[in-house]
Amino acid sequence: MIPSILPTYSRAPLTFVKGEGSWLIEADGRRFLDLGAGIAVNALGHAHPKLVEALTGQANALWHVSNLYQIPQQQKLADMLVELTFADTVFFTNSGTESCELAVKMARKYWYEKGAPERTDIITFEGSFHGRSSAGIAAAGSEKMTKGFGPLLPGFVHLPWNDHEALTAAINDKTAAILIEPIQGEGGIRPLPDQCLKGLRDLCDEHGILLILDEVQCGVGRTGKLFAHEWAGIEPDIMMVAKGIGGGFPLGAVLATENAAGGMTAGTHGSTYGGNPLGCAVGCAVLDIVSDAGFLADVSRRAGALRQSLEGLVAAHPDVFESVRGTGLMLGLKCKASNIDVLNAAYANELITVPAADNALRLLPPLNISEADIAEAVKRLDAAATQVEKAS
Ligand code: PLP
């Protein structure tokens, strides 16, 4: 009999009932150290007092009005994002998937308005992940996500990761945009080197096409910059955001330049909940903290400490781990043993990590994790690796 929850997830037998900072408390009282942060969502850990205050304060005042009216919290968050980034304008969504939908629509509308409606193709890359909607799975293109769900939305051109020649050959007079994650998350923490991101920007400029960055997982302070592309010193035309921006409240956004967003006039897009007062009140509180230069410097400092310890673990457990990769607090352990065996051994040591493709394990802790908690996490990961070695 089909379970009452549609069985599209295989869930761990863990039921968390409370969160405190970087810790999750299981129903049976066990305390798990959380290096998953709800898949890069709880950017400030669990129950951060400023976020609780923002949410409960707004909950006591007003929950929802719809986008038929002015929403001051939405205006404030949009103004903050415009001030802090390349963007001139912002549309709020409820998830990364919805941000993908709008990014695709916006790029196509841009060319339609320019009198080139045949430019509909969006170039994407192997191993990418952009959500589970029809556009999202067509964009990623992997058989795992698309099999059985055809006919797929047309207009996506899939290229190998890191193949410059294939890329230059693929651009033609049907190309609307290039869509890429600066660091692939679900794909196994695969960072695009800064010079490649710069090269992509140059290529887009040369051909007059749009650069769409998917910073749903790598954005909002995770790499030690507010957005990951800042490391490469370039700016996109359109950027997808979600996850960390809401700190655990469902919130996403599409940021764009005035030029790229030019076709999106009244009536061309909408969302009942997108940018609602609750989400935006929390978003303002998150951004206020995460955009602080001192906070971002702390992320890089903590990331340095974690990375160094992880390199030590790789050296100490060569049969379990192969390498460390990633930027800031978006780190991946490429495993030699099965990543799922390591994940389960970590659970047994009351440590949360997140599996990814390419036999990798993702470490995506809250950005404000303490040094003591980082040291404790490394200790538990060490114990987990020893357990995997013994079992093999
Ligand atoms: N894009 C990236 C890079 C992601 O990592 C994800 C989710 O993991 C998405 C898009 C989809 O976001 P959501 O699950 O919020 O719809």
Side-chain angles (χ1 to χ4, degrees), residues 93-166:
T93 68
N94 304 284
S95 66
T97 301
E98 284 172 76
S99 295
C100 177
E101 292 293 317
L102 174 55
V104 168
K105 282 177 69 177
M106 189 182 278
R108 290 179 174 170
K109 190 69 162 32
Y110 169 86
W111 285 109
Y112 178 87
E113 295 294 335
K114 283 229 175 276
E118 70 284 359
R119 279 198 182 260
T120 53
D121 282 1
I122 296 181
I123 292 176
T124 63
F125 299 88
E126 170 265 320
S128 66
F129 185 85
H130 303 293
R132 299 290 199 143
S133 62
S134 294
I137 63 172
S142 74
E143 197 190 344
K144 192 175 151 217
M145 270 185 278
T146 58
K147 195 174 173 190
F149 296 113
L152 296 177
L153 188 70
F156 292 95
V157 177
H158 305 108
L159 299 184
W161 179 249
N162 244 339
D163 184 340
H164 188 77
E165 269 170 39

Side-chain angles (χ1 to χ4, degrees), residues 39 95-98 129-131 181 186 214 216-217 240 242-243:
I39 324 184
S95 66
T97 301
E98 284 172 76
F129 185 85
H130 303 293
E181 297 158 81
E186 305 296 312
D214 181 345
V216 166
Q217 195 161 145
M240 296 153 51
K243 291 191 183 272

Side-chain angles (χ1 to χ4, degrees), residues 4 109 207 221 252 269 301 340-341 374:
S4 58
K109 190 69 162 32
H207 294 272
H269 197 66
R301 202 172 38 73
I340 301 303
D341 287 352
I374 287 178

